[in-house]
Amino acid sequence: MTEEKELNRIFVVEDDVDIQFIIEMALVEFGGFEVVICPDGNTLFNKLENSQPDLILLDVMLPDDDGPTIITKLKKDPAYADIPVIFATARVRGKDVQSYMDLGAIGVLSKPYEIEELCDQIRDMFHQS
């Protein structure tokens, strides 16, 4: 029997302050998760030096490196390669989703979020990975 993975700490890489607030509220209040907000890729990598999340929720469009660039850096670094990543984007056409999965994401969440379903969607993707 394999041990069930725990999902407690989620790093959210999102530059929009309103979306940061909504995601953090949903994940903390409804999911009971510990949430660390990173407004950009540089902040993410700085925070990864001190602690590791169980999952990264990664926006595709960011001010510095975009999501695909960030996941590529994560997957190349043995210290971070095994951290599951879920992309968040408004671009969810089939070929877009497939390209994100090909980069190593375990799933893609569609923006705008369905707040009531967000925690369950994240848990499902995490446990299926």
Side-chain angles (χ1 to χ4, degrees):
M1 187 169 111
T2 60
E3 190 177 316
E4 183 77 6
K5 296 181 285 186
E6 286 276 331
L7 177 57
N8 297 311
R9 180 184 299 133
I10 300 174
F11 282 14
V12 176
V13 187
E14 169 63 60
D15 61 315
D16 184 303
V17 221
D18 294 330
I19 296 175
Q20 288 173 0
F21 176 79
I22 292 167
I23 292 173
E24 184 170 22
M25 182 195 65
L27 295 180
V28 171
E29 297 298 319
F30 302 131
F33 297 114
E34 176 189 338
V35 175
V36 175
I37 300 289
C38 304
D40 54 46
N42 291 330
T43 306
L44 170 67
F45 284 100
N46 288 337
K47 291 189 183 290
L48 283 171
E49 290 177 16
N50 299 318
S51 72
Q52 291 223 350
D54 301 310
L55 177 106
I56 296 172
L57 180 59
L58 180 59
D59 189 15
V60 171
M61 301 299 293
L62 291 162
D64 57 359
D65 290 339
D66 64 3
T69 301
I70 292 170
I71 194 173
T72 300
K73 288 179 183 177
L74 288 167
K75 296 302 178 188
K76 284 183 181 172
D77 189 327
Y80 312 130
D82 292 335
I83 301 171
V85 175
I86 296 174
F87 273 115
T89 182
R91 297 181 61 155
V92 289
R93 293 179 311 203
K95 67 180 179 118
D96 293 323
V97 170
Q98 188 57 52
S99 71
Y100 302 141
M101 301 302 280
D102 291 345
L103 290 170
I106 62 165
V108 178
L109 284 175
S110 175
K111 286 182 174 182
Y113 300 109
E114 293 293 333
I115 295 303
E116 300 79 21
E117 300 170 15
L118 187 61
C119 293
D120 289 338
Q121 290 173 318
I122 289 173
R123 274 194 193 96
D124 290 347
M125 289 177 192
F126 179 78
H127 289 298
Q128 290 172 10
S129 68

